[in-house]
Amino acid sequence: MDGIVHGSAVQTDSTDVLDFHVPTASATAVPWQLPSGTRVFTDREHERERLGFLLPTSDDADAAVAGVGPVVVGLHGPAGIGKTALAVRWLSEQRDRFPDGLLHARFDAGGPAHARNPDSVLTGFLLALGVAQHALPAEPERRIALYRALTADRALGVLLDDVGEVEQVMPLVPGGSRCVLVVTSRRPLSGLIEQGAWPHQVAALSRDDGMALFEGIAGPDRVHADVQAAAALVGLCGGRPLGIAVLAANAALHPAVPLADVAADLAQDPLDTLVREDDVVERAVRADYEGLQPLCRALFRMIGVQPVSRFTLPMLLALLVPSHGQPPPGRDVEVAGEQQSDPVSRSRSRRAAQVRRVLDGLVAAHLLTHHPDENPAATDDVMDPMGTAGPTWEIDAVPHRLARQFAETADAEDVRLAALVRVVDLVLWPALHAADLAVTPYRRRTPYPGTSGSRPGEAAAFVDRAAALAWLERHVDAVAAYAGALHAAGGHRRAWHLVDALWPLWLHRKDYTLRLELDALGLRAAHACGDEAAQAEMLTRIGLAQTSLRAFDEAAKALKAALGLRLALRDRWGEADCRDALGLYHKAVGDIDHAGDQFRLAARQYQAVGALREQALINHQLGVLYLDTGRPHLAQVQLSRTLDEFAALPQPDEYNALRTRIDLARAHLGLRQYHDARALAVAVVGGMARLANPVEHTRALEVLAEIAHATGDPVYPHRLADALALYESVNSPHADRVRKLLATTDAPAAAMSDGDRTVGDPQAQRP
């Protein structure tokens, strides 16, 4: 005998006698099909309490209320957010309320059983409730009626897990008012809500709860060995318990692998690390994507192309091409802005409304997270031409990676590049260019290949230099990400321009690691588009940075290559820039004669091309050279003349005039003219604080400290401490020197050599 028998028990001592025990519907079975819960369950107490308020009261515990249906709860949220775990934990806690049992079915909305027929689930439920196989009605309508009749007078729980559509639920709604139906789904099921279901979006775990879950699985010793790395792992999971649990289990299984290494791997390849063997997260995202409207899918793919994970509305508006079409750009051609393709304000409003509807679809599918209040509006102190004030939308690591894969499969390379270019040209570049102009209005620039991106009358602007610098600091990572993405996609010229426009930030902030990384990227981009002038500019900047870091071999190599390119191009201005940088290099290595020669050559070349401001800068360099080689009288004369040159410029340069005053104060100090030195230094401290330049601000504080030291003023260590704090705030290499001085504050004034006094930062001597 073979085959499958449903709903019966087969007992036999021999094959000669078979005894069938077939229960009838009246011999009611008490099923308990609830899946096993997790041992480690974190938080959700408030949510479980809210669910408890929905249950029938004790007055209704013994009798059904005629004409009243069951309590229906819809738990929705993205895959891995913990919907099933919450439902199982809550229903387990309420077991006493379900004396007639609990039924469970999983529809697996993201898997191969997505189209599972609810009739097969209903059949299983009827068998579990005691209906004999031969007694099952043949017609679906009669099976539904039988199910409703059997559950009408029972206190029964039903869990329908991972449902994809409301049609899967309706045949399985029990009939009695003492029944509770819990449905989990990735999207809210509006059809259930219309019939009185209580919807609840299951939220991500907080950082603390995520850490508790991770520790509960991986073990406290594993977490306490590297709390920071564990926190990073939890953060990368976006608060999804599934991802946290998978990582914690891997950590427990591989105790020899440092958590920091796991975090680094996850940052590089989230799919390989986060997805379990059954690919539940990936399958869920793919199913959610396939269920989107075409416009939603298109925007999702273009989001995947972007190198950042958080987006403002202007960025998302730039991503979705208007319906009337816009030709994809080539590698370095101009992109039409919205002011050209959609000039009417009312049309822009309609377009914004359309994009918001598309975003609502992505949020409803849990492919994006909306943050309506986490990006406050700009203040009067910091203008926001990039449009970063207001709501933002964020994409998690796994959906982001899959969106990129979908784009690589469905969209041509030029289409993907066009999506990057539109965000840069229409949103990022206008603000970056405005910040560059606000901080360094005088420097030479090459034309940008795209449009400014600003509509007529809406040009990006900052209230002052401090606001522009604050914007650059806040968005430097985004600029770096887009420069890298553009270069990788073939948009080399735009990538170079993004790197070039960050020069004002490096002039005022000394993050040499990031600066060298980006300058190297700019050099590669310039080489890729065959622009020798751009290559020379990047090489000069690399040489200046390496000189500041005292990496003299690398500095010399870069500066000599830059000078060779400028000479070949017959670019006298650019050649003067290189000689300026070479003068700083020779000065740093102690070759004073060659330093003076390079500065004088640069001064003559600047004068020949009419670059009067740059000529004044070189004369400042010569004054500093006299000062640092023990010739304060010559320095005083040279620096006083330089101040007159800055004052005569048609366009004021307050920043470099203040820098010159710092060194003139040092000359007065060297001549023991303490009153004049102090007056100049105090004025510079206020000016540099207003310009938000901590490095030059610190140089002025050091001069005040030296004056205090020379005059026996007890404020000397306090001045040094203030200087040290500012240097440390910008990671300046000069912090070590000031720290050593502060450790020897009892040294007499005569012991302070010229080498102990501040000479500034070589790279800051050039605009």
Side-chain angles (χ1 to χ4, degrees):
M1 177 178 179
D2 58 9
I4 299 175
V5 179
H6 295 280
S8 303
V10 180
Q11 298 177 336
T12 180
D13 290 329
S14 68
T15 56
D16 296 326
V17 180
L18 292 178
D19 182 14
F20 290 92
H21 297 278
V22 183
T24 65
S26 59
T28 306
V30 181
W32 190 259
Q33 299 178 345
L34 194 66
S36 300
T38 177
R39 177 183 61 84
V40 181
F41 187 86
T42 305
D43 193 37
R44 310 293 192 195
E45 181 177 350
H46 178 64
E47 291 175 293
R48 298 192 329 258
E49 183 178 353
R50 292 182 66 191
L51 290 170
F53 290 143
L54 302 173
L55 293 175
T57 64
S58 57
D59 293 337
D60 298 325
D62 298 327
V65 179
V68 178
V71 173
V72 181
V73 178
L75 302 178
H76 63 275
I81 203 67
K83 304 181 295 294
T84 302
L86 172 60
V88 170
R89 176 57 61 101
W90 179 64
L91 290 169
S92 297
E93 292 172 342
Q94 306 298 327
R95 180 164 187 161
D96 291 345
R97 290 183 176 263
F98 307 123
D100 296 313
L102 188 139
L103 302 172
H104 168 257
R106 179 177 177 85
F107 283 84
D108 200 12
H114 175 55
R116 184 174 180 183
N117 188 341
D119 187 57
S120 64
V121 175
L122 178 60
T123 298
F125 281 4
L126 289 172
L127 292 172
L129 290 172
V131 177
Q133 179 78 39
H134 63 81
L136 289 173
E139 298 82 4
E141 294 79 8
R142 291 183 59 197
R143 285 197 291 273
I144 294 172
L146 176 59
Y147 173 68
R148 297 276 167 79
L150 289 174
T151 57
D153 297 324
R154 302 192 190 196
L156 186 73
V158 179
L159 172 59
L160 303 180
D161 200 10
D162 205 14
V163 170
E165 51 194 27
V166 71
E167 287 76 12
Q168 294 173 313
V169 177
M170 299 312 297
L172 304 172
V173 178
S177 61
R178 291 187 298 157
C179 294
V180 174
L181 171 63
V182 178
V183 179
T184 73
S185 60
R186 297 193 181 98
R187 302 186 185 94
L189 300 178
S190 57
L192 281 182
I193 299 171
E194 291 168 2
Q195 298 186 32
W198 183 78
H200 174 70
Q201 180 168 353
V202 180
L205 292 179
S206 67
R207 178 187 177 279
D208 290 343
D209 293 325
M211 286 290 288
L213 177 60
F214 191 95
E215 182 175 321
I217 297 173
D221 293 342
R222 196 80 164 95
V223 172
H224 296 165
D226 194 342
V227 175
Q228 187 175 1
L233 286 170
V234 170
L236 287 167
C237 291
R240 297 196 188 201
L242 174 62
I244 296 171
V246 171
L247 291 177
N250 287 337
L253 289 171
H254 306 286
V257 179
L259 292 182
D261 292 350
V262 179
D265 290 342
L266 176 60
Q268 292 294 321
D269 199 347
L271 278 182
D272 285 351
T273 312
L274 274 181
V275 177
R276 299 188 303 177
E277 291 181 358
D278 60 355
D279 297 331
V280 62
V281 177
E282 181 177 356
R283 288 192 292 109
V285 172
R286 289 184 183 278
D288 290 338
Y289 170 76
E290 292 299 331
L292 295 172
Q293 296 296 323
L295 206 56
C296 291
R297 291 202 298 268
L299 180 58
F300 183 63
R301 294 196 305 272
M302 293 305 99
I303 287 173
V305 172
Q306 306 307 305
V308 296
S309 60
R310 187 175 285 244
F311 303 88
T312 64
L313 185 60
M315 296 171 73
L316 294 163
L317 281 168
L319 280 180
L320 204 58
V321 180
S323 58
H324 53 266
Q326 178 175 305
R331 290 297 183 268
D332 288 306
V333 300
E334 183 171 339
V335 176
E338 275 195 284
Q339 74 275 16
Q340 296 168 332
S341 65
D342 206 0
V344 182
S345 176
R346 187 168 54 188
S347 297
R348 292 199 301 267
S349 298
R350 287 198 299 267
R351 176 162 162 71
Q354 178 193 37
V355 172
R356 280 189 174 273
R357 287 193 296 272
V358 173
L359 291 171
D360 288 344
L362 292 174
V363 171
H366 303 291
L367 297 173
L368 287 182
T369 302
H370 186 208
H371 301 285
D373 302 317
E374 293 186 12
N375 196 25
T379 66
D380 293 338
D381 297 327
V382 181
M383 293 291 287
D384 185 38
M386 188 178 172
T388 52
T392 60
W393 288 260
E394 186 174 16
I395 186 168
D396 287 341
V398 173
H400 199 179
R401 178 66 64 89
L402 284 172
R404 186 176 301 116
Q405 291 180 3
F406 295 151
E408 290 171 352
T409 301
D411 300 300
E413 183 181 356
D414 280 349
V415 173
R416 301 197 302 271
L417 174 60
L420 286 171
V421 168
R422 285 195 300 273
V423 173
V424 171
D425 281 9
L426 303 178
V427 183
L428 184 58
W429 174 255
L432 178 60
H433 182 58
D436 182 11
L437 287 173
V439 182
T440 53
Y442 36 73
R443 76 183 187 91
R444 287 202 308 171
R445 295 175 179 85
T446 55
Y448 184 71
T451 176
S452 68
S454 301
R455 302 186 186 102
E458 297 182 5
F462 290 90
V463 292
D464 53 28
R465 290 165 58 102
L469 280 169
W471 186 93
L472 285 169
E473 284 190 309
R474 189 164 60 250
H475 295 290
V476 62
D477 290 339
V479 174
Y482 273 97
L486 281 169
H487 177 56
H492 307 300
R493 189 165 298 280
R494 280 179 172 84
W496 180 85
H497 274 279
L498 292 184
V499 173
D500 175 68
L502 286 173
W503 172 249
L505 182 63
W506 313 134
L507 195 63
H508 294 264
R509 306 288 188 266
K510 308 305 176 185
D511 188 345
Y512 288 103
T513 300
L514 180 58
R515 173 183 167 177
L516 283 171
E517 178 184 330
L518 287 173
D519 285 347
L521 171 64
L523 180 60
R524 294 194 300 272
H527 186 271
C529 57
D531 190 332
E532 292 184 335
Q535 293 176 56
E537 181 64 26
M538 291 296 107
L539 285 166
T540 304
R541 294 188 189 183
I542 290 170
L544 284 166
Q546 297 289 19
T547 298
S548 294
L549 294 172
R550 306 187 69 81
F552 296 128
D553 290 343
E554 293 85 346
K557 181 179 179 181
L559 292 173
K560 289 176 182 177
L563 181 60
L565 287 170
R566 293 297 190 186
L567 289 170
L569 292 168
R570 298 185 179 181
D571 178 2
R572 299 188 70 185
W573 189 319
E575 180 188 344
D577 287 346
C578 289
R579 295 196 181 281
D580 178 5
L582 280 166
L584 293 170
Y585 161 77
H586 286 299
K587 176 184 169 183
V589 298
D591 190 348
I592 303 304
D593 291 340
H594 277 94
D597 291 343
Q598 293 293 338
F599 288 149
R600 293 183 188 94
L601 280 171
R604 287 197 293 269
Q605 288 177 326
Y606 281 136
Q607 185 179 29
V609 297
L612 300 180
R613 176 187 161 276
E614 284 68 23
Q615 183 184 359
L617 286 171
I618 286 296
N619 286 330
H620 176 201
Q621 302 285 25
L622 283 168
V624 173
L625 188 66
Y626 294 143
L627 184 61
D628 293 341
T629 53
R631 294 174 283 180
H633 287 95
L634 287 175
Q636 188 180 54
V637 172
Q638 180 71 36
L639 293 169
S640 296
R641 289 175 179 172
T642 301
L643 278 178
D644 292 338
E645 291 176 343
F646 278 120
L649 292 176
Q651 185 179 14
D653 187 348
E654 182 185 8
Y655 166 67
N656 281 299
L658 285 170
R659 288 179 52 247
T660 303
R661 286 186 171 89
I662 295 175
D663 294 308
L664 183 56
R666 292 176 57 218
H668 285 303
L669 175 61
L671 295 170
R672 301 181 185 276
Q673 298 168 353
Y674 301 128
H675 181 271
D676 292 339
R678 184 181 292 108
L680 280 169
V682 168
V684 172
V685 165
M688 286 300 181
R690 185 177 64 257
L691 295 180
N693 188 306
V695 174
E696 298 299 322
H697 184 175
T698 307
R699 283 217 305 138
L701 286 176
E702 283 197 77
V703 172
L704 287 174
E706 292 180 26
I707 295 170
H709 190 275
T711 59
D713 191 329
V715 302
Y716 170 61
H718 303 290
R719 297 288 194 193
L720 280 183
D722 290 341
L724 177 61
L726 276 175
Y727 272 143
E728 289 178 336
S729 72
V730 293
N731 299 316
S732 171
H734 295 289
D736 287 340
R737 174 176 50 77
V738 178
R739 197 176 291 113
K740 291 176 183 177
L741 285 174
L742 192 57
T744 58
T745 53
D746 56 344
M752 292 186 66
S753 67
D754 286 333
D756 291 327
R757 295 192 177 98
T758 177
V759 298
D761 191 330
Q763 78 91 30
Q765 310 301 314
R766 181 175 175 273

